Amino acid sequence: MSKLRYQEISEKSGVSLSTISRIFNNSTKVNEETKQKVLETIKMMGYDTTKLVQAVPKQEGIIVFNIPNVDNPFYNPIIQGAKSAALQNGYNLLLNIDDFSTQDSFDNFISFLKKNKIIGLISTNCLSESQVLKIKNTLPFVQCSECIQKYDIPYVTIDDIKAAKTAVNYLISLGKKNIAIINGPSQYKYAQNRLKGYLEALTEAGINRNPAYILQLEKFDYDIALSAVLRILNSEKKPDAVFATSDIFALASMNACFRSGLKVPDQISIVGFDNIQFSSMSTPALTTINQPQYQLGLISCDMLTKLLKGEPVSVRQMILDTELIIRGTTAQTV
C-alpha cells in the first residue's frame, strides 16, 4: 500500500502514520482498540484485512488469569483488557476462578501451574505473603488490582485511599455528616485502604466516626450487603449518606433505601466504587468512583508478556488514576 494510502487511512481513522505503519509491519506495540479502529477504516475503504488480522504469530504456552469469583462484574472489563493484550502478543489466555480459601485449593493450583503448559500468571486475588512468594518462585507473575507492594513483583493497581477520600469528601461537601460505609472482606487490600480513606476524610473534616456506620462484610455478596444496609436504615439514627466500596454494594444500598421508604438522593445520598456498566443503568444513575478496569487488565498482561519475552519492563509498579463520576444518587443537603 502506498504512502498516499497510509495518509488516507490516517485522515479517515484519526490514527497517526507511525501507528498505521506499525500495524502493517506486524508490531505488537499497538493496542487492540487502535488496531481495530484502523482495520475497520481499511474495510470501509474496500481493502481486505485478513492478512493483518492474522499477523501476530502464536507463542508457545498459556497465560493464566486468576480471579476470586464471578459474582463481581468489576472483573469483566479487566479480563477483556488482559485478553486483548494476550492476543496482541500472540498468547492464549486461560481464565481461572478460585479464591484460594483453603491451603489445599492453593496447593492444587500451584500443582496445576507446574503440570500444565502454563508460562505466566496474572492474579486479581487476595493473596498472603507466603502465597505471593510461592507463585513468584514458580513462574513469571504480575499482580493486578490486589497486590502486596513490598516485594519486587510487578503490579498494576489504583490508590484506594485517595479514591475513597475523594468519594467521602464529596459527600461531606454536600453537607453530609452521618456517612456510613459498606465495605468488603477485610483481608482485601482494597477494603483495608478504602476504609482508611473513609476514616481519614472524616477525621480531616472534624467528623467523629460512628462504629455503627461501619458495615464490614465477611463475604462479597449482594444479599448480605442488602441485609446490612437495611439494618442500619431501620436503626434509631439513620445515616444521611452511604459510601459503598463496590457498585454492587451501592446498588444493594439503593434497594435497601427503596424498601425502607427513603428517597435517593432527596433523603439519603449514595456513592459507589468501580463504575461498572450497571451503575449508569440504575434509577437514579449511580454516583461512583471510576477506575480504569480495562487498562488494569491490558497493562498487567502487557507487563507479563514483556517478562516472558525477556523485554525490559520500564515500570514494574504502576498506580492508575481514578475519577469521581457524579450522577443522580447524590444531592446537596437541604
Side-chain angles (χ1 to χ4, degrees), residues 280-301:
S280 62
M281 299 178 182
S282 63
T283 304
L286 178 64
T287 295
T288 186
I289 294 289
N290 177 65
Q291 58 170 316
Q293 298 154 67
Y294 186 88
Q295 285 76 15
L296 283 166
L298 186 80
I299 295 170
S300 60
C301 191

Side-chain angles (χ1 to χ4, degrees), residues 209-241:
R209 70 176 70 178
N210 183 343
Y213 288 164
I214 300 175
L215 309 179
Q216 190 80 52
L217 306 186
E218 294 182 1
K219 183 181 178 183
F220 188 94
D221 185 274
Y222 176 91
D223 291 325
I224 294 174
L226 176 62
S227 297
V229 179
L230 279 171
R231 282 196 301 272
I232 197 170
L233 293 182
N234 290 324
S235 64
E236 189 175 329
K237 190 174 182 182
K238 298 177 178 63
D240 56 12

Side-chain angles (χ1 to χ4, degrees), residues 145-149 157-166 168 181 183-201 216 243 245 273 319:
S145 190
E146 283 291 312
C147 63
I148 295 177
Q149 300 178 341
T157 190
I158 63 166
D159 188 335
D160 288 286
I161 298 174
K162 180 181 177 182
K165 287 182 74 172
T166 296
V168 178
I181 178 174
N183 201 14
S186 59
Q187 67 266 30
Y188 280 84
K189 174 190 75 70
Y190 83 82
Q192 296 167 14
N193 287 343
R194 291 175 199 177
L195 176 60
K196 187 174 181 180
Y198 162 83
L199 294 173
E200 285 185 6
Q216 190 80 52
F243 167 51
T245 63
F273 205 111
I319 298 176

